[in-house]
């Protein structure tokens, strides 16, 4: 049980590092592309595709971190004035609704990646298989769903104690 408590935070931390590296990669690719276009009139072939893929990785892998940091959008002015019990119940309801939505998105995205794999869909310039990107994004949503589920379980354990 103790190992399970550490696996999710370790996964979130690893994904956060990958998301940050993707952002750095996006900035480096874009900067180098602009420099090469201006200085030598030679753009980096497939730069737009690479930046788009890195953007998907950055967004998908930052979801669990954003959840734990509570950096998602909230109506803080209104909620802050409510009693603690009502705030906790609102958080539970929000987590349940979000979990349902994220689980459906994860499931459908995973199925869509399989459809892309069967069709052999590739990117326009570099001809990279697109289904890999969709699988990566669905993994990010899956871990986000696990984070939501962990918070819901934590809520009920706290209520039972």
């Amino acid at each position: 049980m103790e190992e399970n408590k550490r696996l999710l935070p370790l996964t979130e931390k690893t994904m956060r590092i990958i998301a940050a590296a993707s952002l750095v990669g996006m900035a480096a690719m874009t900067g180098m592309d602009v420099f090469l276009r201006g200085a030598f009139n030679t753009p980096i072939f497939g730069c737009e595709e690479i930046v788009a893929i890195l953007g998907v990785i950055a967004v998908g892998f930052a979801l669990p971190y954003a959840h734990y940091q509570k950096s998602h959008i909230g109506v803080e002015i209104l909620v802050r004035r409510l009693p603690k019990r009502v705030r906790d119940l609102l958080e539970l309801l929000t987590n349940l609704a979000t979990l349902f939505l994220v689980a459906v998105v994860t499931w459908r995205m995973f199925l869509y990646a399989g459809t892309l794999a069967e069709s052999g869909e590739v990117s326009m310039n570099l001809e990279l298989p697109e289904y890999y990107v969709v699988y990566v994004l669905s993994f990010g949503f899956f871990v986000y769903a696990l984070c939501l589920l962990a918070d819901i379980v934590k809520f009920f354990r706290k209520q039972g104690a």
Side-chain angles (χ1 to χ4, degrees):
M1 182 69 177
E2 187 64 35
E3 292 172 8
N4 291 339
K5 287 183 179 180
R6 286 185 272 188
L7 183 60
L8 196 55
L10 179 63
T11 304
E12 178 272 320
K13 182 178 181 183
T14 304
M15 290 173 68
R16 176 177 10 130
I17 291 168
I18 294 170
S22 295
L23 283 174
V24 170
M26 287 171 64
M29 284 293 294
T30 303
M32 187 57 70
D33 189 51
V34 169
F35 173 75
L36 290 175
R37 281 177 194 265
F40 303 105
N41 199 24
T42 308
I44 298 174
F45 180 72
C47 181
E48 296 88 359
E49 288 177 18
I50 294 169
V51 169
I53 290 169
L54 290 173
V56 167
I57 293 169
V59 169
F61 279 27
L63 286 171
Y65 175 71
H67 174 72
Y68 280 132
Q69 294 298 309
K70 305 240 185 272
S71 58
H72 47 290
I73 297 172
V75 189
E76 196 64 30
I77 285 179
L78 178 66
V79 174
R80 200 177 333 155
R81 297 175 187 263
L82 296 173
K84 170 106 171 85
R85 187 153 171 81
V86 175
R87 283 192 315 244
D88 289 347
L89 187 59
L90 268 175
E91 184 176 352
L92 173 66
L93 292 174
T94 303
N95 281 343
L96 284 168
T98 306
L99 175 60
F100 175 75
L101 177 66
V102 169
V104 170
V105 168
T106 302
W107 167 56
R108 296 305 303 174
M109 206 177 296
F110 189 80
L111 293 178
Y112 179 60
T115 302
L116 286 176
E118 287 175 9
S119 71
E121 188 84 22
V122 294
S123 63
M124 190 181 316
N125 293 324
L126 298 175
E127 297 184 1
L128 300 171
E130 291 182 351
Y131 69 93
Y132 287 129
V133 178
V134 180
Y135 275 133
V136 166
L137 187 58
S138 69
F139 175 74
F141 272 87
F142 175 72
V143 175
Y144 179 37
L146 290 178
C147 294
L148 289 163
L149 184 61
D151 280 358
I152 292 167
V153 169
K154 196 183 307 177
F155 173 84
F156 284 114
R157 282 196 178 144
K158 190 168 58 172
Q159 295 300 315

